[in-house]
Amino acid sequence: MTTTGKQNSSKKLLHSVRPSRIIYPILIGLAVVVYMLVKEVDANTFSLIDFTWYTVWWLCIALLMMVIRDLGYMARLRILTDRKFSWGQAFRIIMLWEFTSAITPSAIGGTSVAILYLNKEGLKVGRSSAVVMSTSFLDELYFIIMFPLLILLLNVKQLFMIESPEHSIWLDSLLYFALGGYLIKLVYLIVLTYGLFWNPRGLKWLLLWIFKLPILRKWKHGANKAGTDIIESSKELRRKPFLFWFKAFMATFWSWTARYWVVNAMLVAFMLEGYGFADHIMIFARQLVMWIMMLVSPTPGGSGFSEWVFTQYLGDFLPTTGLAASMALIWRLISYYPYLFVGVYLLPRWIKKHFKNNQS
């Protein structure tokens, strides 16, 4: 691709994540929460909680979980790049990456633009692709390992609310939905592992063959680029020792675990009666199942859909549905909206810094 072509491609990607797009996920999410609050909240809802310094303490713990999550992602990025980036650069990249994920549908995420962020911060394109592919591999590996471990520890019927008559048929069949999602993730991880570490050219051939189908043909160019990225990534990744992958996976483990413990800390902050260890594990496990559902949401960052799923699937741990809607809003205020506003601040400055020479 020519220099002009690369510049045009970069501008198209950046246009897709322009800061003005944050209004859509905010409006969607708030609309759903307001609807649930109007429908479910009555005069007695908030009399069920007592806002004290204990509440403030555990809300601070929830915020701390998000800090640990981001520090884990930053540490992983530094590990995967052999400390090519400073902590400041790692923070900037992760915030921009999260912002991109927050304003695009969950199934799309911020992967394509993440390669651009890494490249513009000083990493070669092939190496940038390798790092992004590595993060995808590690994220899927975490889920593939943790989900069956939690299933072994928990009551499966309680996890999927199979025996709860007050829930809809859709929720009763959640077990099959989750297993289907797990199998898709497992197949993706196997294919990605095979392509990255054993036969990248074979995986590229398979991608191009699949995208010859009439229904997929218009994305053939993207599949070809993805295949090329995999080949470039493989050259980098196959040389890495076990200790490299172990450290990167531990950073991934702490990031995702801290992300899920945000809700646990929130529920402790507003609880009326104590939660036991088994309750906390159940809340943690249900969030893994929620993540499967959020991945298929067509809205930016899962807005609206995430809030609704929260009330339906974690509402069992709260006394009323109205309170669950309030908790959903607080959850998104802690774990989602900050990335929108940090991204709005950082992205224009990042574009000005890295693209000013291309505007002449």
Side-chain angles (χ1 to χ4, degrees):
M1 184 183 292
T2 65
T3 301
T4 302
K6 289 180 180 179
Q7 291 175 6
N8 290 336
S9 178
S10 298
K11 289 178 181 178
K12 287 180 181 178
L13 285 172
L14 290 172
H15 180 72
S16 69
V17 295
R18 60 193 182 277
S20 61
R21 293 187 63 177
I22 74 164
I23 191 65
Y24 302 117
I26 291 176
L27 288 177
I28 294 169
L30 289 179
V32 171
V33 170
V34 169
Y35 171 78
M36 291 187 295
L37 287 173
V38 171
K39 181 181 178 183
E40 304 291 347
V41 172
D42 55 36
N44 297 321
T45 297
F46 296 105
S47 66
L48 297 171
I49 62 175
D50 185 17
F51 197 90
T52 65
W53 284 109
Y54 177 88
T55 306
V56 174
W57 167 257
W58 279 101
L59 286 177
C60 289
I61 295 297
L63 287 169
L64 178 62
M65 290 298 104
M66 290 304 298
V67 172
I68 293 173
R69 170 186 183 265
D70 292 331
L71 285 173
Y73 279 149
M74 290 159 60
R76 181 174 72 174
L77 184 60
R78 280 171 49 81
I79 292 167
L80 293 175
T81 59
D82 297 315
R83 293 175 173 77
K84 167 74 174 178
F85 297 132
S86 66
W87 283 102
Q89 284 179 297
F91 172 79
R92 188 163 56 245
I93 292 168
I94 293 301
M95 290 301 106
L96 291 172
W97 196 334
E98 291 298 324
F99 171 73
T100 304
S101 298
I103 64 171
T104 54
S106 300
I108 298 173
T111 301
S112 59
V113 187
I115 295 174
L116 176 64
Y117 293 148
L118 293 170
N119 176 238
K120 287 297 181 178
E121 288 288 344
L123 218 58
K124 293 181 179 179
V125 174
R127 185 77 185 279
S128 298
S129 299
V131 170
V132 172
M133 290 283 185
S134 298
T135 62
S136 181
F137 167 77
L138 291 165
D139 288 341
E140 299 301 334
L141 184 63
Y142 174 87
F143 188 91
I144 292 301
I145 292 173
M146 291 298 293
F147 190 71
L149 286 177
L150 291 169
I151 291 292
L152 291 174
L153 290 173
L154 297 170
N155 183 324
V156 175
K157 290 184 177 180
Q158 185 183 2
L159 174 61
F160 295 101
M161 300 187 296
I162 292 172
E163 295 181 335
S164 299
E166 69 273 15
H167 290 97
S168 65
I169 295 175
W170 181 79
L171 284 174
D172 291 339
S173 62
L174 188 57
L175 170 62
Y176 304 105
F177 188 78
L179 289 177
Y182 181 84
L183 288 175
I184 291 172
K185 281 179 169 287
L186 180 60
V187 169
Y188 173 74
L189 181 65
I190 291 171
V191 171
L192 185 61
T193 302
Y194 175 75
L196 288 177
F197 299 105
W198 279 281
N199 188 5
R201 294 190 181 278
L203 180 55
K204 181 178 180 179
W205 177 87
L206 177 62
L207 281 173
L208 292 177
W209 182 80
I210 293 173
F211 278 84
K212 285 180 180 178
L213 297 174
I215 195 171
L216 300 174
R217 191 171 295 160
K218 64 179 179 179
W219 293 292
K220 185 178 179 181
H221 177 73
N224 181 62
K225 183 180 183 304
T228 302
D229 289 342
I230 289 172
I231 292 173
E232 291 297 320
S233 301
S234 179
K235 296 175 184 177
E236 296 282 344
L237 301 178
R238 283 187 287 187
R239 296 195 293 263
K240 299 298 183 182
F242 172 79
L243 184 60
F244 169 89
W245 291 109
F246 177 77
K247 290 191 293 185
F249 180 76
M250 291 309 299
T252 303
F253 175 85
W254 288 114
S255 293
W256 277 99
T257 303
R259 177 186 193 135
Y260 291 137
W261 279 102
V262 169
V263 173
N264 292 72
M266 278 176 45
L267 294 180
V268 171
F270 292 97
M271 71 178 180
L272 300 175
E273 299 179 0
Y275 294 124
F277 177 75
D279 292 318
H280 279 294
I281 297 300
M282 181 63 70
I283 293 166
F284 183 90
R286 284 193 179 186
Q287 288 182 78
L288 262 74
V289 178
M290 280 175 57
W291 190 251
I292 294 178
M293 293 185 280
M294 289 167 63
L295 284 175
V296 300
S297 171
T299 58
S303 294
F305 186 76
S306 300
E307 289 84 352
W308 180 80
V309 168
F310 183 98
T311 62
Q312 296 295 310
Y313 201 41
L314 292 175
D316 285 4
F317 297 94
L318 292 161
T320 69
T321 305
L323 193 57
S326 303
M327 292 300 101
L329 178 58
I330 294 172
W331 170 54
R332 296 292 270 180
L333 284 172
I334 292 173
S335 63
Y336 176 69
Y337 290 112
Y339 295 114
L340 294 177
F341 296 111
V342 172
V344 165
Y345 174 79
L346 287 179
L347 186 60
R349 290 161 177 77
W350 186 86
I351 292 174
K352 185 176 180 181
K353 176 182 177 181
H354 292 285
F355 287 85
K356 60 183 179 181
N357 294 330
N358 295 336
Q359 295 172 354
S360 57

